[in-house]
Amino acid sequence: MSSRANAATRKLTTAARTAAQSVIAERGGIGVAVGFYVIVVSVLSGLWRVAAHANGGRLAGYSAVAITWYIATTECAVVSLNIRMIDDIGRDIGSGAVAVELLRPASVVAVRVATEVGRALPRLTALAVAAVVVASLEAGAPPRPVTLLLAYPSLVLAIAVNIVAQHAFAAAAFWLRDAGSTWFLYQKLVFILGGMLIPLEALPGWLHGAANALPWRAMAYVPARLASGHLEPVLLLEQVAWLVALGAIAAAIFGAGQRRLQVVGG
């Protein structure tokens, strides 16, 4: 690895570590997130278990136990992140605050992604522990415990894909000066096409097919599919592929936006 690549890696690692340490130092924030998470998972998984029992014990191929672990995992992947990240990035771009970051000798989008991943990891770890406790108490042991070994790395990939995709969406603010409406649409796509609220197998056939071809399922459905007892390691490769593709898209859009700022002024 070249000295320039080493220097870039150290900057990104430092950004992620500093962000993680600041979140750990504010333990109250993690506690609030865990409390909110437990309430949401208890309600949602309870509703799905009732639906599964009313449907002969299974729903869209998931047992009542499996769907509890599914919901516990999707909520873990989404609650770990700042829900209004797109809006925040858009305001930084629209206000010109991001122009200051352009003066630094490092990729703006890479540093921002590393910082957000660092912020999310402590919350993700705390929520993953809460997920195991809540799902075990409410439904019982995981359907296939060995799949949990894949579920946690899949959760890390899920938040990375989500963060990179949000930067790609938010970069529209370089031209629109506002990403306020974009984040609302984006969240709904995660809820439905990402499989956050319901397994993709429960969607109508045409919508299920569309969701399988889009990146949102890598942000919630994939780790939940694994945690619910499906030993399908190829799903991690799918997440890596989306991470690379969306990372290239985000870098390209941010690069074009930066050039526009330099031409017209921030």
PDB file of all heavy atoms in Angstrom, residues 10-46:
ATOM      1  N   ARG A  10      -5.430   6.087   7.660  1.00  0.00           N
ATOM      2  CA  ARG A  10      -5.296   6.565   9.041  1.00  0.00           C
ATOM      3  C   ARG A  10      -6.293   7.688   9.339  1.00  0.00           C
ATOM      4  O   ARG A  10      -6.889   7.737  10.414  1.00  0.00           O
ATOM      5  CB  ARG A  10      -3.869   7.054   9.280  1.00  0.00           C
ATOM      6  CG  ARG A  10      -2.850   5.942   9.486  1.00  0.00           C
ATOM      7  CD  ARG A  10      -1.570   6.487  10.126  1.00  0.00           C
ATOM      8  NE  ARG A  10      -0.916   7.468   9.265  1.00  0.00           N
ATOM      9  CZ  ARG A  10      -0.047   7.163   8.306  1.00  0.00           C
ATOM     10  NH1 ARG A  10       0.272   5.906   8.090  1.00  0.00           N
ATOM     11  NH2 ARG A  10       0.504   8.108   7.562  1.00  0.00           N
ATOM     12  N   LYS A  11      -6.506   8.587   8.362  1.00  0.00           N
ATOM     13  CA  LYS A  11      -7.455   9.693   8.571  1.00  0.00           C
ATOM     14  C   LYS A  11      -8.881   9.168   8.752  1.00  0.00           C
ATOM     15  O   LYS A  11      -9.626   9.630   9.621  1.00  0.00           O
ATOM     16  CB  LYS A  11      -7.398  10.652   7.386  1.00  0.00           C
ATOM     17  CG  LYS A  11      -6.147  11.502   7.342  1.00  0.00           C
ATOM     18  CD  LYS A  11      -6.081  12.325   6.072  1.00  0.00           C
ATOM     19  CE  LYS A  11      -4.764  13.099   6.022  1.00  0.00           C
ATOM     20  NZ  LYS A  11      -4.566  13.770   4.717  1.00  0.00           N
ATOM     21  N   LEU A  12      -9.240   8.190   7.928  1.00  0.00           N
ATOM     22  CA  LEU A  12     -10.593   7.641   8.029  1.00  0.00           C
ATOM     23  C   LEU A  12     -10.769   6.856   9.329  1.00  0.00           C
ATOM     24  O   LEU A  12     -11.817   6.947   9.983  1.00  0.00           O
ATOM     25  CB  LEU A  12     -10.889   6.741   6.821  1.00  0.00           C
ATOM     26  CG  LEU A  12     -10.850   7.427   5.448  1.00  0.00           C
ATOM     27  CD1 LEU A  12     -11.176   6.433   4.344  1.00  0.00           C
ATOM     28  CD2 LEU A  12     -11.814   8.600   5.394  1.00  0.00           C
ATOM     29  N   THR A  13      -9.746   6.104   9.695  1.00  0.00           N
ATOM     30  CA  THR A  13      -9.816   5.344  10.950  1.00  0.00           C
ATOM     31  C   THR A  13      -9.924   6.282  12.148  1.00  0.00           C
ATOM     32  O   THR A  13     -10.700   6.046  13.080  1.00  0.00           O
ATOM     33  CB  THR A  13      -8.570   4.452  11.098  1.00  0.00           C
ATOM     34  OG1 THR A  13      -8.475   3.600   9.967  1.00  0.00           O
ATOM     35  CG2 THR A  13      -8.654   3.601  12.360  1.00  0.00           C
ATOM     36  N   THR A  14      -9.140   7.375  12.114  1.00  0.00           N
ATOM     37  CA  THR A  14      -9.193   8.357  13.200  1.00  0.00           C
ATOM     38  C   THR A  14     -10.572   9.006  13.281  1.00  0.00           C
ATOM     39  O   THR A  14     -11.122   9.198  14.378  1.00  0.00           O
ATOM     40  CB  THR A  14      -8.117   9.439  12.991  1.00  0.00           C
ATOM     41  OG1 THR A  14      -6.835   8.819  12.953  1.00  0.00           O
ATOM     42  CG2 THR A  14      -8.155  10.473  14.099  1.00  0.00           C
ATOM     43  N   ALA A  15     -11.140   9.337  12.112  1.00  0.00           N
ATOM     44  CA  ALA A  15     -12.474   9.954  12.101  1.00  0.00           C
ATOM     45  C   ALA A  15     -13.511   9.013  12.695  1.00  0.00           C
ATOM     46  O   ALA A  15     -14.360   9.433  13.504  1.00  0.00           O
ATOM     47  CB  ALA A  15     -12.856  10.321  10.665  1.00  0.00           C
ATOM     48  N   ALA A  16     -13.449   7.740  12.319  1.00  0.00           N
ATOM     49  CA  ALA A  16     -14.419   6.765  12.838  1.00  0.00           C
ATOM     50  C   ALA A  16     -14.229   6.542  14.332  1.00  0.00           C
ATOM     51  O   ALA A  16     -15.209   6.490  15.096  1.00  0.00           O
ATOM     52  CB  ALA A  16     -14.271   5.445  12.080  1.00  0.00           C
ATOM     53  N   ARG A  17     -12.969   6.424  14.776  1.00  0.00           N
ATOM     54  CA  ARG A  17     -12.703   6.170  16.198  1.00  0.00           C
ATOM     55  C   ARG A  17     -13.136   7.355  17.058  1.00  0.00           C
ATOM     56  O   ARG A  17     -13.752   7.179  18.118  1.00  0.00           O
ATOM     57  CB  ARG A  17     -11.221   5.884  16.405  1.00  0.00           C
ATOM     58  CG  ARG A  17     -10.888   5.505  17.855  1.00  0.00           C
ATOM     59  CD  ARG A  17      -9.436   5.060  18.025  1.00  0.00           C
ATOM     60  NE  ARG A  17      -8.502   6.087  17.596  1.00  0.00           N
ATOM     61  CZ  ARG A  17      -7.695   5.983  16.554  1.00  0.00           C
ATOM     62  NH1 ARG A  17      -7.718   4.881  15.822  1.00  0.00           N
ATOM     63  NH2 ARG A  17      -6.864   6.950  16.230  1.00  0.00           N
ATOM     64  N   THR A  18     -12.842   8.575  16.594  1.00  0.00           N
ATOM     65  CA  THR A  18     -13.220   9.765  17.361  1.00  0.00           C
ATOM     66  C   THR A  18     -14.740   9.865  17.495  1.00  0.00           C
ATOM     67  O   THR A  18     -15.267  10.182  18.572  1.00  0.00           O
ATOM     68  CB  THR A  18     -12.681  11.034  16.668  1.00  0.00           C
ATOM     69  OG1 THR A  18     -11.266  10.921  16.532  1.00  0.00           O
ATOM     70  CG2 THR A  18     -13.023  12.277  17.467  1.00  0.00           C
ATOM     71  N   ALA A  19     -15.443   9.582  16.395  1.00  0.00           N
ATOM     72  CA  ALA A  19     -16.911   9.634  16.432  1.00  0.00           C
ATOM     73  C   ALA A  19     -17.475   8.578  17.376  1.00  0.00           C
ATOM     74  O   ALA A  19     -18.410   8.841  18.146  1.00  0.00           O
ATOM     75  CB  ALA A  19     -17.472   9.435  15.023  1.00  0.00           C
ATOM     76  N   ALA A  20     -16.900   7.373  17.330  1.00  0.00           N
ATOM     77  CA  ALA A  20     -17.378   6.294  18.212  1.00  0.00           C
ATOM     78  C   ALA A  20     -17.143   6.652  19.675  1.00  0.00           C
ATOM     79  O   ALA A  20     -18.013   6.435  20.531  1.00  0.00           O
ATOM     80  CB  ALA A  20     -16.662   4.989  17.862  1.00  0.00           C
ATOM     81  N   GLN A  21     -15.981   7.230  19.969  1.00  0.00           N
ATOM     82  CA  GLN A  21     -15.675   7.597  21.361  1.00  0.00           C
ATOM     83  C   GLN A  21     -16.633   8.668  21.880  1.00  0.00           C
ATOM     84  O   GLN A  21     -17.012   8.647  23.053  1.00  0.00           O
ATOM     85  CB  GLN A  21     -14.221   8.089  21.448  1.00  0.00           C
ATOM     86  CG  GLN A  21     -13.199   6.970  21.277  1.00  0.00           C
ATOM     87  CD  GLN A  21     -11.773   7.481  21.141  1.00  0.00           C
ATOM     88  OE1 GLN A  21     -11.541   8.653  20.820  1.00  0.00           O
ATOM     89  NE2 GLN A  21     -10.805   6.609  21.374  1.00  0.00           N
ATOM     90  N   SER A  22     -17.018   9.613  21.006  1.00  0.00           N
ATOM     91  CA  SER A  22     -17.941  10.668  21.451  1.00  0.00           C
ATOM     92  C   SER A  22     -19.320  10.090  21.771  1.00  0.00           C
ATOM     93  O   SER A  22     -19.986  10.525  22.713  1.00  0.00           O
ATOM     94  CB  SER A  22     -18.056  11.752  20.379  1.00  0.00           C
ATOM     95  OG  SER A  22     -18.723  11.267  19.242  1.00  0.00           O
ATOM     96  N   VAL A  23     -19.761   9.087  20.985  1.00  0.00           N
ATOM     97  CA  VAL A  23     -21.060   8.448  21.258  1.00  0.00           C
ATOM     98  C   VAL A  23     -20.996   7.629  22.548  1.00  0.00           C
ATOM     99  O   VAL A  23     -21.921   7.663  23.371  1.00  0.00           O
ATOM    100  CB  VAL A  23     -21.471   7.545  20.069  1.00  0.00           C
ATOM    101  CG1 VAL A  23     -22.702   6.716  20.415  1.00  0.00           C
ATOM    102  CG2 VAL A  23     -21.738   8.392  18.836  1.00  0.00           C
ATOM    103  N   ILE A  24     -19.894   6.907  22.745  1.00  0.00           N
ATOM    104  CA  ILE A  24     -19.745   6.089  23.964  1.00  0.00           C
ATOM    105  C   ILE A  24     -19.719   6.980  25.197  1.00  0.00           C
ATOM    106  O   ILE A  24     -20.270   6.628  26.254  1.00  0.00           O
ATOM    107  CB  ILE A  24     -18.467   5.236  23.863  1.00  0.00           C
ATOM    108  CG1 ILE A  24     -18.620   4.191  22.758  1.00  0.00           C
ATOM    109  CG2 ILE A  24     -18.162   4.552  25.199  1.00  0.00           C
ATOM    110  CD1 ILE A  24     -17.345   3.444  22.431  1.00  0.00           C
ATOM    111  N   ALA A  25     -19.094   8.165  25.071  1.00  0.00           N
ATOM    112  CA  ALA A  25     -19.015   9.086  26.205  1.00  0.00           C
ATOM    113  C   ALA A  25     -20.392   9.594  26.619  1.00  0.00           C
ATOM    114  O   ALA A  25     -20.623   9.895  27.796  1.00  0.00           O
ATOM    115  CB  ALA A  25     -18.104  10.257  25.862  1.00  0.00           C
ATOM    116  N   GLU A  26     -21.324   9.670  25.641  1.00  0.00           N
ATOM    117  CA  GLU A  26     -22.690  10.120  25.942  1.00  0.00           C
ATOM    118  C   GLU A  26     -23.578   8.900  26.111  1.00  0.00           C
ATOM    119  O   GLU A  26     -24.407   8.582  25.260  1.00  0.00           O
ATOM    120  CB  GLU A  26     -23.214  11.011  24.815  1.00  0.00           C
ATOM    121  CG  GLU A  26     -22.392  12.276  24.625  1.00  0.00           C
ATOM    122  CD  GLU A  26     -22.823  13.064  23.404  1.00  0.00           C
ATOM    123  OE1 GLU A  26     -23.750  12.613  22.696  1.00  0.00           O
ATOM    124  OE2 GLU A  26     -22.217  14.114  23.155  1.00  0.00           O
ATOM    125  N   ARG A  27     -23.418   8.196  27.223  1.00  0.00           N
ATOM    126  CA  ARG A  27     -24.126   6.917  27.401  1.00  0.00           C
ATOM    127  C   ARG A  27     -25.648   7.099  27.421  1.00  0.00           C
ATOM    128  O   ARG A  27     -26.391   6.184  27.111  1.00  0.00           O
ATOM    129  CB  ARG A  27     -23.671   6.259  28.699  1.00  0.00           C
ATOM    130  CG  ARG A  27     -22.215   5.840  28.695  1.00  0.00           C
ATOM    131  CD  ARG A  27     -21.863   5.067  29.965  1.00  0.00           C
ATOM    132  NE  ARG A  27     -20.469   4.669  29.970  1.00  0.00           N
ATOM    133  CZ  ARG A  27     -19.467   5.414  30.409  1.00  0.00           C
ATOM    134  NH1 ARG A  27     -19.724   6.624  30.872  1.00  0.00           N
ATOM    135  NH2 ARG A  27     -18.227   4.983  30.385  1.00  0.00           N
ATOM    136  N   GLY A  28     -26.099   8.288  27.808  1.00  0.00           N
ATOM    137  CA  GLY A  28     -27.538   8.517  27.864  1.00  0.00           C
ATOM    138  C   GLY A  28     -28.200   8.342  26.507  1.00  0.00           C
ATOM    139  O   GLY A  28     -29.315   7.813  26.411  1.00  0.00           O
ATOM    140  N   GLY A  29     -27.508   8.768  25.451  1.00  0.00           N
ATOM    141  CA  GLY A  29     -28.072   8.627  24.105  1.00  0.00           C
ATOM    142  C   GLY A  29     -28.267   7.170  23.721  1.00  0.00           C
ATOM    143  O   GLY A  29     -29.285   6.800  23.126  1.00  0.00           O
ATOM    144  N   ILE A  30     -27.296   6.340  24.064  1.00  0.00           N
ATOM    145  CA  ILE A  30     -27.428   4.908  23.770  1.00  0.00           C
ATOM    146  C   ILE A  30     -28.570   4.305  24.586  1.00  0.00           C
ATOM    147  O   ILE A  30     -29.350   3.488  24.089  1.00  0.00           O
ATOM    148  CB  ILE A  30     -26.097   4.179  24.058  1.00  0.00           C
ATOM    149  CG1 ILE A  30     -25.009   4.674  23.095  1.00  0.00           C
ATOM    150  CG2 ILE A  30     -26.274   2.675  23.935  1.00  0.00           C
ATOM    151  CD1 ILE A  30     -23.654   4.033  23.320  1.00  0.00           C
ATOM    152  N   GLY A  31     -28.690   4.741  25.842  1.00  0.00           N
ATOM    153  CA  GLY A  31     -29.770   4.220  26.689  1.00  0.00           C
ATOM    154  C   GLY A  31     -31.144   4.560  26.133  1.00  0.00           C
ATOM    155  O   GLY A  31     -32.048   3.717  26.127  1.00  0.00           O
ATOM    156  N   VAL A  32     -31.293   5.801  25.656  1.00  0.00           N
ATOM    157  CA  VAL A  32     -32.573   6.205  25.065  1.00  0.00           C
ATOM    158  C   VAL A  32     -32.866   5.376  23.819  1.00  0.00           C
ATOM    159  O   VAL A  32     -34.005   4.924  23.598  1.00  0.00           O
ATOM    160  CB  VAL A  32     -32.553   7.707  24.724  1.00  0.00           C
ATOM    161  CG1 VAL A  32     -33.772   8.088  23.895  1.00  0.00           C
ATOM    162  CG2 VAL A  32     -32.498   8.544  25.998  1.00  0.00           C
ATOM    163  N   ALA A  33     -31.837   5.172  22.985  1.00  0.00           N
ATOM    164  CA  ALA A  33     -32.032   4.387  21.757  1.00  0.00           C
ATOM    165  C   ALA A  33     -32.452   2.958  22.085  1.00  0.00           C
ATOM    166  O   ALA A  33     -33.345   2.398  21.436  1.00  0.00           O
ATOM    167  CB  ALA A  33     -30.741   4.391  20.929  1.00  0.00           C
ATOM    168  N   VAL A  34     -31.831   2.365  23.104  1.00  0.00           N
ATOM    169  CA  VAL A  34     -32.180   0.985  23.474  1.00  0.00           C
ATOM    170  C   VAL A  34     -33.615   0.929  24.007  1.00  0.00           C
ATOM    171  O   VAL A  34     -34.388   0.021  23.664  1.00  0.00           O
ATOM    172  CB  VAL A  34     -31.184   0.441  24.524  1.00  0.00           C
ATOM    173  CG1 VAL A  34     -31.673  -0.887  25.103  1.00  0.00           C
ATOM    174  CG2 VAL A  34     -29.803   0.256  23.896  1.00  0.00           C
ATOM    175  N   GLY A  35     -33.986   1.916  24.844  1.00  0.00           N
ATOM    176  CA  GLY A  35     -35.350   1.931  25.369  1.00  0.00           C
ATOM    177  C   GLY A  35     -36.386   2.057  24.270  1.00  0.00           C
ATOM    178  O   GLY A  35     -37.400   1.323  24.251  1.00  0.00           O
ATOM    179  N   PHE A  36     -36.148   2.981  23.328  1.00  0.00           N
ATOM    180  CA  PHE A  36     -37.059   3.152  22.194  1.00  0.00           C
ATOM    181  C   PHE A  36     -37.131   1.868  21.369  1.00  0.00           C
ATOM    182  O   PHE A  36     -38.210   1.425  20.971  1.00  0.00           O
ATOM    183  CB  PHE A  36     -36.563   4.317  21.333  1.00  0.00           C
ATOM    184  CG  PHE A  36     -37.302   4.498  20.053  1.00  0.00           C
ATOM    185  CD1 PHE A  36     -38.575   5.057  20.035  1.00  0.00           C
ATOM    186  CD2 PHE A  36     -36.727   4.113  18.842  1.00  0.00           C
ATOM    187  CE1 PHE A  36     -39.258   5.213  18.838  1.00  0.00           C
ATOM    188  CE2 PHE A  36     -37.407   4.266  17.645  1.00  0.00           C
ATOM    189  CZ  PHE A  36     -38.670   4.825  17.643  1.00  0.00           C
ATOM    190  N   TYR A  37     -35.968   1.268  21.166  1.00  0.00           N
ATOM    191  CA  TYR A  37     -35.891   0.046  20.357  1.00  0.00           C
ATOM    192  C   TYR A  37     -36.716  -1.083  20.990  1.00  0.00           C
ATOM    193  O   TYR A  37     -37.461  -1.780  20.304  1.00  0.00           O
ATOM    194  CB  TYR A  37     -34.429  -0.366  20.225  1.00  0.00           C
ATOM    195  CG  TYR A  37     -34.219  -1.747  19.692  1.00  0.00           C
ATOM    196  CD1 TYR A  37     -34.223  -1.990  18.325  1.00  0.00           C
ATOM    197  CD2 TYR A  37     -34.033  -2.839  20.548  1.00  0.00           C
ATOM    198  CE1 TYR A  37     -34.048  -3.274  17.826  1.00  0.00           C
ATOM    199  CE2 TYR A  37     -33.856  -4.115  20.062  1.00  0.00           C
ATOM    200  CZ  TYR A  37     -33.876  -4.323  18.703  1.00  0.00           C
ATOM    201  OH  TYR A  37     -33.712  -5.597  18.210  1.00  0.00           O
ATOM    202  N   VAL A  38     -36.570  -1.273  22.304  1.00  0.00           N
ATOM    203  CA  VAL A  38     -37.282  -2.363  22.976  1.00  0.00           C
ATOM    204  C   VAL A  38     -38.795  -2.194  22.828  1.00  0.00           C
ATOM    205  O   VAL A  38     -39.528  -3.163  22.564  1.00  0.00           O
ATOM    206  CB  VAL A  38     -36.882  -2.418  24.468  1.00  0.00           C
ATOM    207  CG1 VAL A  38     -37.796  -3.369  25.237  1.00  0.00           C
ATOM    208  CG2 VAL A  38     -35.430  -2.852  24.616  1.00  0.00           C
ATOM    209  N   ILE A  39     -39.271  -0.951  22.967  1.00  0.00           N
ATOM    210  CA  ILE A  39     -40.722  -0.702  22.839  1.00  0.00           C
ATOM    211  C   ILE A  39     -41.205  -1.031  21.425  1.00  0.00           C
ATOM    212  O   ILE A  39     -42.211  -1.739  21.241  1.00  0.00           O
ATOM    213  CB  ILE A  39     -41.039   0.767  23.188  1.00  0.00           C
ATOM    214  CG1 ILE A  39     -40.761   1.022  24.680  1.00  0.00           C
ATOM    215  CG2 ILE A  39     -42.490   1.103  22.853  1.00  0.00           C
ATOM    216  CD1 ILE A  39     -40.834   2.483  25.070  1.00  0.00           C
ATOM    217  N   VAL A  40     -40.486  -0.511  20.425  1.00  0.00           N
ATOM    218  CA  VAL A  40     -40.912  -0.723  19.038  1.00  0.00           C
ATOM    219  C   VAL A  40     -40.889  -2.201  18.669  1.00  0.00           C
ATOM    220  O   VAL A  40     -41.840  -2.727  18.067  1.00  0.00           O
ATOM    221  CB  VAL A  40     -40.001   0.082  18.078  1.00  0.00           C
ATOM    222  CG1 VAL A  40     -40.285  -0.291  16.625  1.00  0.00           C
ATOM    223  CG2 VAL A  40     -40.209   1.579  18.292  1.00  0.00           C
ATOM    224  N   VAL A  41     -39.821  -2.896  19.043  1.00  0.00           N
ATOM    225  CA  VAL A  41     -39.706  -4.318  18.687  1.00  0.00           C
ATOM    226  C   VAL A  41     -40.775  -5.147  19.406  1.00  0.00           C
ATOM    227  O   VAL A  41     -41.368  -6.055  18.809  1.00  0.00           O
ATOM    228  CB  VAL A  41     -38.293  -4.841  19.023  1.00  0.00           C
ATOM    229  CG1 VAL A  41     -38.241  -6.369  18.906  1.00  0.00           C
ATOM    230  CG2 VAL A  41     -37.277  -4.226  18.086  1.00  0.00           C
ATOM    231  N   SER A  42     -41.035  -4.820  20.652  1.00  0.00           N
ATOM    232  CA  SER A  42     -42.048  -5.576  21.399  1.00  0.00           C
ATOM    233  C   SER A  42     -43.420  -5.450  20.745  1.00  0.00           C
ATOM    234  O   SER A  42     -44.150  -6.436  20.588  1.00  0.00           O
ATOM    235  CB  SER A  42     -42.107  -5.081  22.852  1.00  0.00           C
ATOM    236  OG  SER A  42     -40.879  -5.302  23.504  1.00  0.00           O
ATOM    237  N   VAL A  43     -43.769  -4.229  20.329  1.00  0.00           N
ATOM    238  CA  VAL A  43     -45.086  -4.011  19.712  1.00  0.00           C
ATOM    239  C   VAL A  43     -45.168  -4.667  18.338  1.00  0.00           C
ATOM    240  O   VAL A  43     -46.103  -5.427  18.041  1.00  0.00           O
ATOM    241  CB  VAL A  43     -45.373  -2.491  19.606  1.00  0.00           C
ATOM    242  CG1 VAL A  43     -46.649  -2.245  18.803  1.00  0.00           C
ATOM    243  CG2 VAL A  43     -45.487  -1.869  20.996  1.00  0.00           C
ATOM    244  N   LEU A  44     -44.180  -4.359  17.483  1.00  0.00           N
ATOM    245  CA  LEU A  44     -44.229  -4.876  16.109  1.00  0.00           C
ATOM    246  C   LEU A  44     -44.163  -6.402  16.065  1.00  0.00           C
ATOM    247  O   LEU A  44     -44.942  -7.055  15.349  1.00  0.00           O
ATOM    248  CB  LEU A  44     -43.068  -4.296  15.295  1.00  0.00           C
ATOM    249  CG  LEU A  44     -43.281  -2.935  14.644  1.00  0.00           C
ATOM    250  CD1 LEU A  44     -42.036  -2.536  13.859  1.00  0.00           C
ATOM    251  CD2 LEU A  44     -44.489  -2.958  13.718  1.00  0.00           C
ATOM    252  N   SER A  45     -43.229  -6.976  16.814  1.00  0.00           N
ATOM    253  CA  SER A  45     -43.087  -8.445  16.765  1.00  0.00           C
ATOM    254  C   SER A  45     -44.319  -9.116  17.360  1.00  0.00           C
ATOM    255  O   SER A  45     -44.730 -10.194  16.910  1.00  0.00           O
ATOM    256  CB  SER A  45     -41.815  -8.879  17.497  1.00  0.00           C
ATOM    257  OG  SER A  45     -41.899  -8.572  18.874  1.00  0.00           O
ATOM    258  N   GLY A  46     -44.924  -8.471  18.379  1.00  0.00           N
ATOM    259  CA  GLY A  46     -46.150  -9.034  18.951  1.00  0.00           C
ATOM    260  C   GLY A  46     -47.264  -9.090  17.912  1.00  0.00           C
ATOM    261  O   GLY A  46     -47.980 -10.100  17.812  1.00  0.00           O
TER     262      GLY A  46
END
